[in-house]
Amino acid sequence: ALAVGGGCLAARELSRELPAPCEVLRAHLENPAMASQLGFAVAPFSFRLWHGQVSEGFARVTVPLFEMRAPLPGVLPCLAWPRRRSEVHAAMERTASGWRVISLLEDGG
């Protein structure tokens, strides 16, 4: 019963919409220029693991960044697992035109 309840809770969380600041951060990190600075492609599910504070005019968000790694890309490219690479701390403010990233810090630890 505990596993079923946990599975239902996880399914609900993974299907829920992300807050607007997280969507802005996702677009910012999926930009090819930013991906080249990071040195890896961020796995899409990383943004579902965000935590922080979101209010009407300000948001402070932390997102653990994962990449999908295939141990044998030439033989079994579909066999891949997530590897945690770093964490991003972002501060954003709401302006008249929408959310804007004020500060972005990558913590490689």
Side-chain angles (χ1 to χ4, degrees):
L2 184 60
V4 171
C8 290
L9 181 62
R12 189 185 83 199
E13 287 298 315
L14 290 175
S15 64
R16 191 163 44 156
E17 266 188 56
L18 290 174
C22 292
E23 291 290 349
V24 169
L25 184 59
R26 173 191 290 208
H28 191 73
L29 292 176
E30 288 178 347
N31 181 341
M34 182 59 72
S36 69
Q37 285 182 8
L38 287 172
F40 63 97
V42 177
F45 70 86
S46 296
F47 299 98
R48 296 281 174 196
L49 303 174
W50 75 276
H51 59 281
Q53 299 171 329
V54 177
S55 66
E56 286 298 316
F58 185 77
R60 188 175 316 138
V61 177
T62 300
V63 177
L65 299 181
F66 291 86
E67 76 170 328
M68 296 303 291
R69 298 288 295 226
L72 303 169
V75 179
L76 291 169
C78 61
L79 177 66
W81 56 75
R83 176 177 173 230
R84 186 173 181 152
R85 293 290 304 259
S86 61
E87 200 171 61
V88 167
H89 307 280
M92 291 172 272
E93 72 175 346
R94 175 179 258 158
T95 63
S97 60
W99 287 93
R100 180 177 72 96
V101 177
I102 300 172
S103 171
L104 188 66
L105 172 72
E106 181 187 13
D107 182 9

